[in-house]
Amino acid sequence: MQEYRKLVEAGRLRSDDHQTRIIQKLQTLHDALAVYAPPPPAETLSLFSRLFSRPAQRPVGAGRPKGLYLYGDVGTGKTMLMDLFYNTLPARITRKRRVHFHAFMLDVHKRMHAAKAAGAGDPLAPVARELASLAHVLCLDEFQVTDIADAMILRRLLEALLGYGVVCVFTSKYVRDCRHVVFDANRLMTLRSRHPDELYKNGIQRASFLPAIDLLKSEFDVTDLDSGTGPFVPYSLSPNCISPSADYRRLSRALSNAYFSPLNSTTHAAINAQFSALTEGIPVQDGKTIRLWGRDLTVPRCAGQVAQFTFAELCGRPLGAADYLELTFRFGSLFVTDVPRMGLGEKDKARRFITFIDACYDNKTRLFVSSEVPIFEIFSDDSSDTSSLPVSDHMRAIVDELGLPAEIVGAASMFNGEEELFAFARCCSRLVQMGSDEWMEHAGRR
């Protein structure tokens, strides 16, 4: 609460009664953790015991503070609040972890694979014990369930972690129902929230996931971050203050020299100058081979923690979220050159680029891009005159939500369907933040 008030007093945040109540919930949990005596880290067991013993059968919730499940729209401050909470935890709490949900589940599956290879009959039991020994405060950002493999293990995993006394804080997000867009003076959109009841909606074998939902509702304080002031209502960008009804990542700062267009000799020289400035005094390697998930990936140009790819090299091959997360974890600064304007024929590449942007954001990676058109127009239709094309209702709603003029993202989008539009909106929002001076100053540290 004290740090939040400092941000308000400094003009970095605008005071909002609803958000203050949420901050108070975080403060209450913070105070409970200050006096919470968690069980000791899972004891070191013999290899046989680690592989074949079952999790401790302590009652779920015995003496453990209730966790928090925060859900809300893009830009409502979920990540900011989680970071504020995590960074101000009492100094005595050393077993803590803050990670994106997708990266967390990748880690879980890797550990389960290793345990199974070692002969574990039930690989989840030793993995849950290991994770509990690493952190008794676990913060997961963007909790969502879209994969059946995740859905089938989450109930037992959550139950085991809570049984070991792990206190959890999760954030989740809204999903817009773009099939029923309603436009009034403010062009509002219908919402379907990521309340626990909406997780893994219509998923395969969802009945097996329902106990996990019950666990979330019973063991977590489920809180909606929507302030009620209308996250989709357009607002004026302020140079220093973030509106409570706006995207908390959108600060009215001039984008630093992160995005270069169009593709010409001037742009080529400018982005190469940035690469040279970041790698000054570090030997540059061409064609370095790194190992990603059991296969080789060639990095065309790198020096230390800085790497450079062309768009075709990064998104023209079958790479997925796990590859991009690993790549952005290894390199604190990434250059992507020659990004084209993408139409329907490049939809797969566009999806990979959005996944790559998400990975850069999750791992706080610096990003430099040279593109055929301004970065926010790369997903627009391939036309020399986009101003004459109609702006779709879906796209106009997304643009209004971001507080950006329609011409920034082009006249029409290749994306349709609620999940694709949500991913596109998130990508645009993150590109704004990742091009800011503040991001460039603090990101890229490994």
Side-chain angles (χ1 to χ4, degrees), residues 50-283:
R50 288 178 61 225
L51 294 180
F52 295 101
S53 63
R54 300 186 62 82
Q57 298 300 311
R58 199 169 66 251
V60 170
R64 171 184 46 77
K66 203 170 188 178
L68 274 176
Y69 181 101
L70 309 175
Y71 68 99
D73 185 40
V74 168
T76 48
K78 301 182 300 297
T79 300
M80 178 205 70
L81 291 172
M82 174 172 281
D83 287 343
L84 193 64
F85 171 79
Y86 183 83
N87 293 330
T88 57
L89 283 171
R92 73 179 190 84
I93 298 179
T94 56
R95 289 167 48 212
K96 60 181 182 178
R97 187 181 184 189
R98 186 253 188 260
V99 63
H100 189 272
F101 175 75
H102 189 73
F104 175 75
M105 291 309 299
L106 283 174
D107 181 41
V108 169
H109 287 297
K110 285 174 68 175
R111 291 173 184 270
M112 288 182 63
H113 179 76
K116 195 170 184 179
D122 176 14
L124 187 59
V127 167
R129 186 182 302 108
E130 288 174 6
L131 293 172
S133 70
L134 292 174
H136 80 264
V137 177
L138 177 63
C139 298
L140 296 184
D141 197 20
E142 296 203 354
F143 187 96
Q144 56 182 318
V145 186
T146 58
D147 187 284
I148 186 173
D150 293 345
M152 293 303 100
I153 66 172
L154 268 171
R155 179 193 63 79
R156 290 186 57 221
L157 179 62
L158 286 174
E159 201 169 58
L161 291 176
L162 296 177
Y164 281 120
V166 177
V167 179
C168 301
V169 177
F170 297 161
T171 71
S172 191
K173 63 186 180 185
Y174 280 126
V175 172
R176 293 162 196 73
D177 188 346
C178 297
R179 296 166 298 180
H180 307 289
V181 181
V182 180
F183 291 96
D184 59 16
N186 294 318
R187 294 192 183 97
L188 302 181
M189 295 181 70
T190 303
L191 292 177
R192 264 208 347 250
S193 66
R194 284 295 193 198
H195 183 280
D197 286 334
E198 295 292 332
L199 289 169
Y200 200 49
K201 196 78 170 181
N202 301 317
I204 299 173
Q205 299 181 34
R206 187 173 188 261
S208 299
F209 181 70
L210 294 179
I213 293 176
D214 293 338
L215 195 64
L216 287 170
K217 292 193 295 184
S218 64
E219 299 299 326
F220 289 73
D221 183 353
V222 178
T223 303
D224 186 352
L225 280 176
D226 180 14
S227 65
T229 55
F232 301 111
V233 178
Y235 79 114
S236 299
L237 291 172
S238 170
N240 298 310
C241 189
I242 307 172
S243 166
S245 64
D247 190 328
Y248 279 79
R249 294 188 293 270
R250 288 174 307 177
L251 302 182
S252 182
R253 296 180 293 245
L255 297 184
S256 61
N257 293 325
Y259 309 134
F260 303 83
S261 65
L263 297 177
N264 55 31
S265 57
T266 301
T267 295
H268 182 73
I271 200 165
N272 280 340
Q274 285 278 28
F275 184 90
S276 298
L278 280 181
T279 59
E280 185 177 1
I282 306 174

Side-chain angles (χ1 to χ4, degrees), residues 295-311:
R295 56 182 172 174
D296 292 335
L297 176 69
T298 299
V299 181
R301 191 180 183 207
C302 66
Q305 293 186 351
V306 181
Q308 181 172 325
F309 293 82
T310 65
F311 174 82

Side-chain angles (χ1 to χ4, degrees), residues 21-34 65 85:
R21 289 193 293 272
I22 294 169
I23 288 286
Q24 187 57 58
K25 290 189 176 186
L26 289 166
Q27 181 65 52
T28 299
L29 178 56
H30 182 282
D31 294 342
L33 287 170
F85 171 79

